[in-house]
């Protein structure tokens, strides 16, 4: 299953927002059972998420579910409600490291068996920086079961360390959050999965969002999460390779294919090696 470029968060207890999300053009919706749903509406959100998942058509975007954190006491009820409806993936918040993925893997395997689903058919994307301790585990995700991608978050991290804000006056990330972002990118590369950039809260600032998306792609992120449908077109435009990029990538792959076993090839007056081939393949894999 291809990891999406544009993930749109949708509160699972809002029929109107679920409908808007479906029409947004996002590659994937994240049906949220966590922060955007109040305690008194958790049960309703589970029922609505399950019903939406079960009723989606073949043309619907991928459907992921952000469950509550493992230490919340709510996650088993979340999983029991949605696994039967076969979500494409689970977004795990406040993940402290691979040990939490293994706990989630065990729970999902039991529920998949109960519902007659293939083992490990449901993938997981951890939000891997929401606690201070989690930053020290970002290099250890390689080989984690079900791991589809890594993403990060700065709001809970800011609260955990007592920061008044996570961005500077000019809108750029403050030092700790730049570090968390960079470590997520490196950790995903080490685990050989895509890195997905976090949300941009100021959804009315399209210019700022577009600039930061361009920075994300330049760094190596494969996509981004959105909190508003208006952000989806910006993400898709940024993370979809241009015709020129695709042409370059296809030519590079062809050059290496014409020289099997070569570590270096000559291409348009330059010497290209295996990292260029890897980059070309990633461009081709990121096409819609």
């Amino acid at each position: 299953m291809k990891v999406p470029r544009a993930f749109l968060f949708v509160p699972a207890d809002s029929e109107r927002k679920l409908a808007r999300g479906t029409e947004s053009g996002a590659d994937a919706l994240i049906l949220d059972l966590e922060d955007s749903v109040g305690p008194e509406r958790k049960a309703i959100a589970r029922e609505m998420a399950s019903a939406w998942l079960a009723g989606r058509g073949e043309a619907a975007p991928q459907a992921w579910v952000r469950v509550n954190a493992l230490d919340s006491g709510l996650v088993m009820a979340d999983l029991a409600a949605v696994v039967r409806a076969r979500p494409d993936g689970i977004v795990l918040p406040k993940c402290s490291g691979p040990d939490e993925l293994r706990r989630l893997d065990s729970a999902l395997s039991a529920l998949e068996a109960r519902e007659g689903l293939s083992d490990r058919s449901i993938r997981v994307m951890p939000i891997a920086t929401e606690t201070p301790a989690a930053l020290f585990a970002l290099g250890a995700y390689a080989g984690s079961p079900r791991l589809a991608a890594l993403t990060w978050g700065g709001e809970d991290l800011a609260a955990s360390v007592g920061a008044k804000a996570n961005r500077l006056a000019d809108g750029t990330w403050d030092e700790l959050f730049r570090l968390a972002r960079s470590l997520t990118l490196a950790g995903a590369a080490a685990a050989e999965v895509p890195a997905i950039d976090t949300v941009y809260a100021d959804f009315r600032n399209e210019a700022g969002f577009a600039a930061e998306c361009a920075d994300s792609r330049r760094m190596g992120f494969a996509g981004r999460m959105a909190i508003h449908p208006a952000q989806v077109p910006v993400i898709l435009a940024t993370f979809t390779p241009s015709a020129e990029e695709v042409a370059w990538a296809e030519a590079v792959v062809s050059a290496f294919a014409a020289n099997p076993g070569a570590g270096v090839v000559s291409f348009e007056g330059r010497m290209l090696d295996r990292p260029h081939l890897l980059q070309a393949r990633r461009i081709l894999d990121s096409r819609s």
Side-chain angles (χ1 to χ4, degrees), residues 43-216:
I44 294 171
R46 292 184 192 112
E47 293 175 5
M48 291 181 66
S50 180
W52 188 90
L53 288 164
R56 60 182 167 144
E58 291 184 3
Q62 285 189 28
W64 294 59
V65 178
R66 179 166 71 171
V67 295
N68 288 277
L70 282 175
D71 63 359
S72 68
L74 302 171
V75 68
M76 288 308 301
D78 294 341
L79 294 173
V82 300
V83 165
R84 66 171 63 96
R86 305 188 180 197
D88 294 297
I90 298 295
V91 177
L92 179 63
K94 301 173 181 63
C95 182
S96 64
D99 286 347
E100 292 206 345
L101 277 194
R102 284 188 278 273
R103 289 171 57 194
L104 183 62
D105 174 53
S106 296
L108 283 171
S109 288
L111 290 168
E112 285 167 337
R114 186 189 74 176
E115 302 299 336
L117 304 180
S118 300
D119 188 40
R120 293 182 174 164
S121 58
I122 299 172
R123 308 295 299 282
V124 176
M125 179 170 67
I127 305 178
T129 67
E130 292 186 306
T131 66
L135 298 183
F136 299 96
L138 280 164
Y141 279 94
S144 294
R146 300 181 187 268
L147 185 67
L150 280 180
T151 189
W152 73 286
E155 304 303 323
D156 286 280
L157 181 59
S160 294
V161 301
K164 294 181 179 179
N166 53 25
R167 289 182 181 267
L168 301 173
D170 64 0
T172 59
W173 292 108
D174 207 344
E175 182 175 354
L176 175 63
F177 308 95
R178 290 199 306 272
L179 175 65
R181 188 186 191 204
S182 297
L183 287 175
T184 299
L185 182 63
E192 299 184 341
V193 297
I196 303 298
D197 207 355
T198 193
V199 299
Y200 188 89
D202 187 6
F203 65 88
R204 291 186 175 86
N205 182 2
E206 184 173 334
F209 182 58
E212 193 168 280
C213 283
D215 180 61
S216 297

